[in-house]
Amino acid sequence: MCWFYIVSDLASMNMWSLNDDSTANIDTFRIASTDVCQLRVTVATTSTNINGSTLSPLTGVWYHVALVRESVTSLKLYLNGVLSNTNTRDVTLRIIAATRMEMGAEFSTDTNRADVRFSCIKAWSAGLTIDE
């Protein structure tokens, strides 16, 4: 979880991803080209995108974001403490565990860069409850 602040609006921005050090298996929070928050889950290079609720982040505003992987079929995105969307793509076929967290761009290729500021970045090895 962290706070993010968009400095300038770009067409498509990867905000946060957790991957296995490849482009094959990735959980990603991004701002899509339509300016909506999106969860992308990739398994064996095939992606499933789920758009968020009504929040389209604006430039110059701080937002709190949390991603929670509850199970192999549940990745949840919380924005400002409210559930925005859930991606139910099954990830049981992933062979390698996620070992790399990236913020502000996509993978080591540095594509889909985000002109953002991050603050108070925290990561846990278990999903927190909404109260936590």
Side-chain angles (χ1 to χ4, degrees):
M1 88 172 73
C2 70
W3 289 89
F4 72 91
Y5 176 98
I6 300 173
V7 176
S8 63
D9 192 13
L10 303 173
S12 180
M13 300 181 285
N14 275 21
M15 305 294 279
W16 183 318
S17 68
L18 189 61
N19 61 62
D20 63 357
D21 207 18
S22 76
T23 58
N25 299 298
I26 309 160
D27 290 341
T28 302
F29 161 57
R30 58 188 295 230
I31 309 297
S33 58
T34 55
D35 284 336
V36 298
C37 295
Q38 186 178 78
L39 277 180
R40 173 181 282 177
V41 175
T42 305
V43 178
T45 68
T46 301
S47 297
T48 301
N49 298 324
I50 303 294
N51 289 336
S53 57
T54 58
L55 180 66
S56 293
L58 304 171
T59 59
V61 178
W62 282 99
Y63 296 94
H64 186 265
V65 62
L67 275 72
V68 179
R69 164 94 29 220
E70 289 183 326
S71 68
V72 294
T73 58
S74 175
L75 176 63
K76 293 186 176 186
L77 171 68
Y78 292 87
L79 292 169
N80 294 332
V82 177
L83 179 63
S84 175
N85 58 348
T86 301
N87 193 318
T88 58
R89 173 76 189 270
D90 191 333
V91 297
T92 54
L93 295 177
R94 288 183 176 169
I95 299 168
I96 302 170
T99 57
R100 183 175 176 149
M101 182 174 69
E102 300 184 55
M103 300 183 78
E106 185 172 8
F107 327 120
S108 57
T109 58
D110 202 27
T111 56
N112 293 329
R113 295 177 66 182
D115 189 6
V116 298
R117 305 296 178 256
F118 295 101
S119 179
C120 304
I121 301 163
K122 305 232 184 217
W124 287 266
S125 60
L128 302 179
T129 67
I130 192 68
D131 293 333
E132 293 172 315

